[in-house]
Structures are given as C-alpha cells and as structure tokens.
C-alpha cells in the first residue's frame, strides 16, 4: 500500500534505513572477520542477542524499534543461506553477501509488533501515525509489516496468514509455451501477445538517459533526472508485472493442470541477440506467478523438459523430428503425416503430451 508520511516522518524513515544499513555492514564485517580468524562464522542469533549492548555503545540505535533491529541480522542470515544454496547448486556466480553502499538499503521490517493499521492510518513505533491508502481490504492475520522506499515513494507491505482459497476442481489441462513473438501460446490455440513494454518506451528511456549523462555528477539536477529515469523503469516493470498477473490469473481460473517448459532462462539471457526481448517478455515472472496462484487455488503446475518440443511433430502416432528447423521458421510441414504446424502451437501440444505422460 502507498503511504504518505509527512516531512518529519520521512526523515525518521530515512534515518532508520541508514542506521539499519550501517548495522547490516557491521554484522557482515564481524561474520567475515570471525571466519577468517577462527574458521567459523558468528550465528545470527548471537548477533541478535548483542543488540542491547550495541544500543548502549551507539545511542542512535535506541531511536529504532527493537523488532526492526532484530530483523537486520535475520536478513543477513538469509543472504548467507542463499549464498550457500547457490554454491551447493554449483552455479557459476554464487554471489557472496555484499556490503550495502549508501542508498542501497531500501526497506526495514517490523517482524512481530510495533505497528497498527486502523482508521486509514498506519501507526509505526518510533515514527508516528502515517497516512495510508488502503486501496483493497486486508484479509487474514497480519504477521509482518515492511516499510519500503522506492524512487522517492513510500510503501508498506503487510504479509498475512490466510486460508487457501481453493477453486472448484477443473478437469481441463493445458500446456503453455512461452515465446518472444507471443508471450504465451496454449495447446487450446489461444495466443497472448507480448506487450513489449520496454520496446515501446525505448525512445523515452534514451531521452532520459541522455539527460542524465549530460548532467554534472553530484549536482541536484542530475539527482532529479536520475529519479525521473528510475520512475520510468519502475513504470515499465509495473506494466509487465500487471500483465503477467492477468495472464496467470486467467490460466489458474480456467485450467486444473497447467504445463510449462522447464527453461534455463538465465542461460538464454546470455544470448545477446535475444536477451532484451526475453527479458521484456517476462517469462520467469509469468511462470512464477502462475505457480504461486496455483498453489493457493489447489491447481497443479508441471514443468517439463523442453528439448525438441518445437521440432517433434505433435500429431498422434507420428515420430518425425525436424532437425533443421531454424528460429525464423514459424510454420513447417511434417513430411510423414503432411500436417502443417505452427511452431509455437506444435511445441505447446508436445509439452502437454509430455506433462500428461509424466
């Protein structure tokens, strides 16, 4: 939800973010130093227990709610857990937790208490009563409250514990083939065009990027133009996210079983000829949104091996594979059964067949 803090409250929020950033960096430095000297890292529990002593040594920390401070070592521990998970998975760049530079710490969390939402106001401990725009009701029991600062705007994100909203069971099954020309093509023959939000806004982006590059570094004019550029990028991301929500909601509401290709999207983004189009389409976002909605609605999402789905003839009983199929070939005819295939629709049918067989 969008919140509208006054000038004094904005200052307190910004100060809280800065103190949390500095604390995060101190805790990270301690964990690195402990490992280098003793061969093991400090646990986040021990670091959380040290907060009262830190408040005595650093009086500014006393101006921040205790729950907000306790979330900082927990957040750092999540970064470590993600790092070790990536190392175990054998990813090329596991990404060790980094120190947060100025302006790179954008949120803080009240994990258990210190916040109340009532009468169109959000009460935040140590900050005050902040105006909030509740554009939709809050369902369930609120568990955490996170304050986010993004491009000069302030938001509150509340996570709630709710019961699953199961939809009536559907016997319909569908495969969804994602692509560049069409964002999604179903085995039922439905096509969802790729909106190409980034491509449509490229001219505006170039103008704003040119304005930023011509501005003097460190000047107020440059900061203002950087904010304007960031807001345009945010607007494009919001458009893409909104469209992915709508398509995923339609799929979950309509079908009981949904199959997707298990694509290596990060690997595909290394193709410099297609990377921008793939990122603009938002395949990963669409698949993730569909999975999340399906879990809540009692639907099933299956990820299948995408190998040769475009090349294999989807006609039942035909086993022909067109090995010389180029990316530019959108239509092709099977020489054995003489069926004319749309490349994307053929892939969708093959993925559905594999999902049901598996």
């Amino acid at each position: 939800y969008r919140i509208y803090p006054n000038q004094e409250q904005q200052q307190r929020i910004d100060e809280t973010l800065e103190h949390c950033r500095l604390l995060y960096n101190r805790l990270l430095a301690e964990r690195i130093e402990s490992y280098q000297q003793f061969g093991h890292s400090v646990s986040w529990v021990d670091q959380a227990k040290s907060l009262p002593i830190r408040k005595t040594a650093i009086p500014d920390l006393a101006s921040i709610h205790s729950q907000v401070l306790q979330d900082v070592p927990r957040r750092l521990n999540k970064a470590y857990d993600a790092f070790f998970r990536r190392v175990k998975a054998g990813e090329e760049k596991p990404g060790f937790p980094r120190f947060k530079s100025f302006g790179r710490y954008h949120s803080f969390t009240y994990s258990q208490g210190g916040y109340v939402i009532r009468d169109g106001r959000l009460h935040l401990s140590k900050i005050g009563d902040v105006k909030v725009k509740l554009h939709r009701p809050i369902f369930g029991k609120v568990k955490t409250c996170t304050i986010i600062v993004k491009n000069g705007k302030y938001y509150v994100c509340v996570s709630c514990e709710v019961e699953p909203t199961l939809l009536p069971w559907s016997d319909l099954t569908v495969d969804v083939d994602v692509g560049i020309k069409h964002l999604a093509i179903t085995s039922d023959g439905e096509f969802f065009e790729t909106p190409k939000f980034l491509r449509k806004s490229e001219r505006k982006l170039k103008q704003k990027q040119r304005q930023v590059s011509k501005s003097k570094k460190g000047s107020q004019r440059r900061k203002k133009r950087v904010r304007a550029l960031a807001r345009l990028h945010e607007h494009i991301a919001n458009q893409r996210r909104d469209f992915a929500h709508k398509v995923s909601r339609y799929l979950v509401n309509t079908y009981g079983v949904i199959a997707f290709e298990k694509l290596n999207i990060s690997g595909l983004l290394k193709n410099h000829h297609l990377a921008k189009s793939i990122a603009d389409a938002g395949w990963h976002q669409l698949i993730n949104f569909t999975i999340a909605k399906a879990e809540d609605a009692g639907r099933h999402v299956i990820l299948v091996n995408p190998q040769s789905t475009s090349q294999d003839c989807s006609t039942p009983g035909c086993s022909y594979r067109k090995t010389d199929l180029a990316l530019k070939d959108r239509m092709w005819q099977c020489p054995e059964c003489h069926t004319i295939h749309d490349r994307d629709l053929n892939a969708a049918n093959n993925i559905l067949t594999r999902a049901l067989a598996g």
Side-chain angles (χ1 to χ4, degrees):
Y1 302 97
R2 181 82 181 272
I3 59 175
Y4 299 89
N6 58 35
Q7 204 164 21
E8 182 181 354
Q9 291 167 344
Q10 288 181 20
Q11 183 178 353
R12 291 179 183 174
I13 292 174
D14 294 341
E15 289 175 352
T16 300
L17 285 172
E18 181 62 10
H19 290 316
C20 288
R21 181 186 73 86
L22 295 174
L23 177 61
Y24 183 97
N25 289 342
R26 289 192 197 99
L27 298 179
L28 176 56
E30 289 173 3
R31 294 188 68 151
I32 295 174
E33 184 179 356
S34 175
Y35 184 81
Q36 291 174 341
Q37 292 185 358
F38 307 108
H40 61 84
S41 183
V42 183
S43 71
W44 77 270
V45 176
D46 292 335
Q47 289 186 322
K49 289 180 179 178
S50 71
L51 290 175
I53 302 175
R54 296 176 190 273
K55 284 185 179 181
T56 304
I58 308 173
D60 287 340
L61 294 181
S63 63
I64 302 173
H65 193 268
S66 59
Q67 294 291 324
V68 174
L69 291 177
Q70 290 171 15
D71 184 69
V72 176
R74 188 181 294 111
R75 186 176 297 192
L76 175 60
N77 192 63
K78 288 181 180 178
Y80 264 89
D81 289 342
F83 165 71
F84 289 123
R85 174 181 54 79
R86 292 190 293 267
V87 170
K88 188 176 181 180
E91 296 184 13
E92 294 181 9
K93 295 181 180 179
F96 188 79
R98 296 186 298 178
F99 291 98
K100 302 290 185 180
S101 59
F102 181 78
R104 292 288 183 178
Y105 202 94
H106 304 292
S107 65
F108 58 86
T109 300
Y110 293 85
S111 55
Q112 295 179 348
Y115 59 91
V116 177
I117 301 176
R118 61 166 176 258
D119 301 328
R121 311 288 290 188
L122 171 65
H123 173 75
L124 298 174
S125 180
K126 306 287 187 176
I127 294 176
D129 291 333
V130 183
K131 181 182 176 182
V132 57
K133 185 175 182 180
L134 298 172
H135 61 278
R136 58 179 176 178
I138 299 176
F139 296 103
K141 182 180 179 181
V142 178
K143 304 295 288 185
T144 65
C145 172
T146 301
I147 304 302
I148 303 170
V149 181
K150 192 173 183 180
N151 297 329
K153 299 177 183 177
Y154 295 79
Y155 303 90
V156 58
C157 177
V158 292
S159 61
C160 303
E161 186 178 20
V162 297
E163 294 295 328
T165 54
L166 299 178
L167 295 175
W169 177 247
S170 172
D171 293 328
L172 298 176
T173 59
V174 71
D175 165 71
V176 183
D177 179 53
V178 294
I180 295 176
K181 182 179 179 181
H182 302 97
L183 171 62
I185 305 94
T186 70
S187 53
D188 288 345
E190 288 189 86
F191 291 78
F192 296 90
E193 295 292 334
T194 304
K196 299 181 181 178
F197 295 116
L198 178 62
R199 296 285 186 182
K200 293 177 181 178
S201 300
E202 275 188 321
R203 186 174 180 179
K204 290 182 181 179
L205 284 170
K206 288 179 181 179
Q207 290 175 346
K208 293 187 179 298
Q209 287 167 346
R210 194 177 296 115
Q211 290 173 354
V212 170
S213 65
K214 289 182 178 180
S215 303
K216 183 179 179 180
K217 290 186 177 180
S219 66
Q220 291 298 320
R221 177 174 293 180
R222 183 183 178 88
K223 292 178 181 178
K224 183 178 180 180
R225 289 177 172 176
V226 167
R227 285 196 297 267
L229 176 61
R231 285 172 183 168
L232 180 55
H233 276 292
E234 181 186 4
H235 176 67
I236 296 169
N238 288 341
Q239 287 179 308
R240 188 183 298 115
R241 186 182 303 110
D242 178 68
F243 188 75
H245 272 302
K246 290 175 179 176
V247 175
S248 60
R249 173 51 60 195
Y250 170 79
L251 294 173
V252 171
N253 286 353
T254 307
Y255 301 99
V257 178
I258 306 166
F260 282 101
E261 292 176 295
K262 190 176 183 180
L263 297 171
N264 179 16
I265 298 176
S266 60
L268 292 172
L269 288 174
K270 295 178 182 179
N271 184 329
H272 299 297
H273 298 289
L274 301 175
K276 182 184 287 188
S277 297
I278 293 173
D280 193 18
W283 296 348
H284 188 265
Q285 195 171 61
L286 174 63
I287 295 172
N288 281 352
F289 285 176
T290 306
I291 292 174
K293 290 179 173 63
E295 288 178 351
D296 184 60
R299 307 299 204 198
H300 297 286
V301 175
I302 304 173
L303 301 178
V304 301
N305 185 0
Q307 185 176 4
S308 304
T309 52
S310 298
Q311 298 172 338
D312 292 347
C313 178
S314 60
T315 303
C318 182
S319 59
Y320 178 76
R321 174 174 293 179
K322 186 174 178 60
T323 56
D324 59 344
L325 187 65
L327 186 61
K328 64 180 180 179
D329 298 330
R330 309 313 302 176
M331 304 289 294
W332 63 278
Q333 185 174 16
C334 176
E336 293 187 4
C337 65
H338 307 292
T339 304
I340 299 176
H341 294 293
D342 176 278
R343 177 197 183 97
D344 296 326
L345 186 56
N346 177 68
N349 289 324
N350 282 324
I351 295 169
L352 180 60
T353 302
R354 294 183 187 183
L356 295 177

